[in-house]
């Protein structure tokens, strides 16, 4: 739904997987539950410095989703940028 004031169907932001962890929970703030395919995540900091090889999105819900790494972050926190655009956005 485009141009409908008060109906939020796109959002973006940042998140950080801290040292020793494998997951960060993101609050998306959308009016609908997005499909997993609607969420894009980009590593902002160096994955090599964080000891991470890959990440993915899981546990997509009405208010949040999770970004999970393949292994616990080691010496440097992993910063990510995310964007969600649902159908019609």
């Amino acid at each position: 739904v485009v141009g409908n004031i008060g109906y939020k169907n796109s959002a973006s932001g940042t998140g950080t997987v801290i040292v020793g962890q494998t997951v960060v929970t993101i609050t998306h703030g959308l009016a609908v539950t997005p499909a997993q395919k609607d969420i894009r995540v980009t590593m902002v900091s160096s994955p090599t410095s964080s000891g991470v090889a890959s990440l993915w999105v899981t546990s997509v819900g009405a208010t949040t989703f999770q970004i999970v790494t393949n292994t616990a972050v080691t010496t440097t926190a992993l910063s990510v940028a995310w964007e969600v655009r649902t159908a019609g956005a």
Side-chain angles (χ1 to χ4, degrees), residues 35-36 39-41 55-60 65-68 82:
Q36 191 168 6
I39 303 170
R40 286 186 213 81
V41 178
L55 55 77
W56 59 92
V57 172
T58 188
S59 302
V60 179
F65 63 89
Q66 293 183 326
I67 300 170
V68 180
W82 59 270

Side-chain angles (χ1 to χ4, degrees), residues 9-65:
N9 59 357
S10 64
S12 61
T14 59
T16 303
V17 184
I18 61 173
V19 172
Q21 300 297 311
T22 59
V23 64
V24 61
T25 300
I26 303 294
T27 301
H28 55 69
L30 300 178
V32 297
T33 301
Q36 191 168 6
K37 67 176 181 63
D38 295 332
I39 303 170
R40 286 186 213 81
V41 178
T42 304
M43 291 186 226
V44 175
S45 60
S46 168
T48 304
S49 297
S50 301
V52 171
S54 61
L55 55 77
W56 59 92
V57 172
T58 188
S59 302
V60 179
T63 59
T64 63
F65 63 89

